[in-house]
Amino acid sequence: MIYRTLGKTGLNVSILSFGASSLGGVFRDVAEAEAIRTVHTAVDLGINFIDVSPYYGLTKAECVLGKALREIPRHKYFLATKAGRYGNSEFDFSAGRVKASVDESLRRMGVDFIDLIQCHDIEFGDLDQVVNETVPALREVQKAGKVGAVGITGLPLPIFEYVASRVEVDSILSYCRYSLNDTALQEVMPYVESQHLGIISASPLSMGLLTRRGAPSWHPAGPAIKAACARAAEHCAARGSDIAKLALQFSLANPRIHTTLVGSANPANMENSVRWMEEPIDTQLLAEVRDILAPIHNQTW
Ligand code: NAD
């Protein structure tokens, strides 16, 4: 496993990291014992950065993750969670709510410290409230010794500079914007790097679009994106490969990204992901797949 410093957070994180949304049954029904085993597998393979949110499975992911973490020495992982999003359309970025949210997450996961607390999907809130109220409130929580760093997450890329140029944050988490079908995250990197922010890229498999199983029913991508990704998956299968492997290798190959969060509640998936990371990428197949995806490149939702 390779480790990189997550910008000014100072955390030395594995370049492949574990996204725990799957533990909340976000992609399919998950057996708890299997989910817990997946966390252990990830940590045993050298993954030391774990990301979750109270929103995932409406607190279920944090609860299941907490059960797994109780059996893992605290120094073996850095823990990131979020505040501000609590349902599909339930957001509350007020100071009171996010402060209470941190305490709830600590309790749910049975830890006394969260390494990184992130304002979750800020584009659904009022960005000026995030600047003037949410981040300052989380800085107070940091001063109280409950969290180590403060970050922001979301889909549209302009939100990061808007907030980071108005209030000090330590990291950004972008998702689905650095994968085979979309590399737009590169456009904001010069600014993000100039501020020494930690760069977390999530969803290298584009939340399931770049897997054999395909996207879950709730996936927000439009039909053209889904169809192109399905064609790319078929092409990889016809070449005796797996689109998930190519996608993961592609996303992990960019050294400007400090860590890439992949999600799964299946131990074998995590084992495959780590193995794939260590194998060379098939450049011929990569070129073919990027041709298939070219018509929808950088299209989002
Ligand atoms: P992902 O791109 O990691 O895809 C997950 C899907 O891929 C699941 O269906 C999983 O079963 C499958 N998969 C994983 N490894 C595989 C393998 N080796 N082979 C085949 N299939 C495999 O998307 P994600 O889970 O949404 O993103 C990862 C994490 O990033 C999340 O768990 C979460 O922690 C974080 N995230 C954060 C935000 C946000 O803050 N707004 C948004 C999206 C994701």
Side-chain angles (χ1 to χ4, degrees):
M1 183 61 70
I2 300 168
Y3 300 85
R4 274 190 201 124
T5 304
L6 184 63
K8 62 178 166 177
T9 70
L11 304 177
N12 195 32
V13 295
S14 48
I15 62 167
L16 179 65
S17 47
F18 181 72
S21 67
S22 293
L23 307 189
V26 168
F27 290 91
R28 60 181 172 92
D29 285 338
V30 170
E32 192 172 288
E34 192 189 2
I36 290 173
R37 247 185 328 115
T38 310
V39 180
H40 287 270
T41 302
V43 173
D44 289 346
L45 290 168
I47 289 174
N48 74 348
F49 183 66
I50 301 173
D51 175 75
V52 68
S53 164
Y55 166 53
Y56 300 147
L58 308 178
T59 72
K60 185 175 170 198
E62 281 196 343
C63 291
V64 175
L65 178 61
K67 287 187 186 171
L69 294 181
R70 280 180 182 82
E71 297 159 28
I72 302 176
R74 185 64 183 88
H75 69 271
K76 290 221 167 187
Y77 61 88
F78 298 117
L79 181 59
T81 190
K82 313 194 185 83
R85 180 165 202 176
Y86 304 100
N88 273 341
S89 43
E90 246 181 81
F91 296 87
D92 188 343
F93 290 96
S94 66
R97 184 68 191 98
V98 297
K99 284 181 177 175
S101 188
V102 171
D103 289 332
E104 291 162 16
S105 292
L106 288 169
R107 240 188 338 268
R108 237 177 252 129
M109 293 191 281
V111 292
D112 57 13
F113 186 73
I114 289 163
D115 297 277
L116 173 64
I117 185 75
Q118 302 160 103
C119 307
H120 195 172
D121 291 344
I122 55 174
E123 67 270 27
F124 292 101
D126 170 359
L127 293 185
D128 293 319
Q129 183 186 27
V130 172
V131 168
N132 298 316
E133 184 175 340
T134 321
V135 173
L138 294 173
R139 289 293 181 202
E140 285 178 32
V141 176
Q142 182 183 29
K143 280 201 193 88
K146 296 178 189 176
V147 305
V150 178
I152 48 178
T153 88
L155 182 73
L157 295 166
I159 58 173
F160 297 123
E161 182 166 349
Y162 186 92
V163 170
S165 62
R166 287 169 173 79
V167 67
E168 189 182 356
V169 295
D170 303 316
S171 65
I172 64 148
L173 185 162
S174 158
Y175 69 100
C176 294
R177 306 312 306 270
Y178 195 84
S179 51
L180 284 174
N181 56 303
D182 187 337
T183 54
L185 177 59
Q186 293 181 112
E187 293 160 17
V188 297
M189 279 193 190
Y191 176 77
V192 171
E193 286 170 343
S194 74
Q195 303 304 305
H196 311 292
L197 306 184
I199 304 180
I200 304 164
S201 173
S203 313
L205 310 182
S206 295
M207 302 193 302
L209 281 175
L210 303 172
T211 61
R212 281 184 176 163
R213 188 168 65 192
S217 58
W218 53 259
H219 201 291
I225 299 177
K226 284 182 178 159
C229 291
R231 270 200 307 281
E234 280 162 25
H235 183 78
C236 289
R239 289 272 187 281
S241 188
D242 183 336
I243 185 124
K245 174 178 178 178
L246 191 76
L248 201 77
Q249 291 178 325
F250 174 79
S251 292
L252 284 165
N254 189 327
R256 297 170 78 184
I257 292 169
H258 300 135
T259 188
T260 297
L261 280 166
V262 70
S264 179
N266 175 340
N269 273 353
M270 290 315 297
E271 282 164 5
N272 282 341
S273 294
V274 172
R275 201 184 60 246
W276 292 341
M277 180 181 77
E278 287 159 0
E279 290 174 13
I281 196 163
D282 179 339
T283 50
Q284 170 73 33
L285 183 63
L286 175 63
E288 291 164 7
V289 164
R290 296 207 74 190
D291 272 352
I292 294 170
L293 296 173
I296 54 109
H297 190 67
N298 284 3
Q299 284 183 20
T300 186
W301 44 87

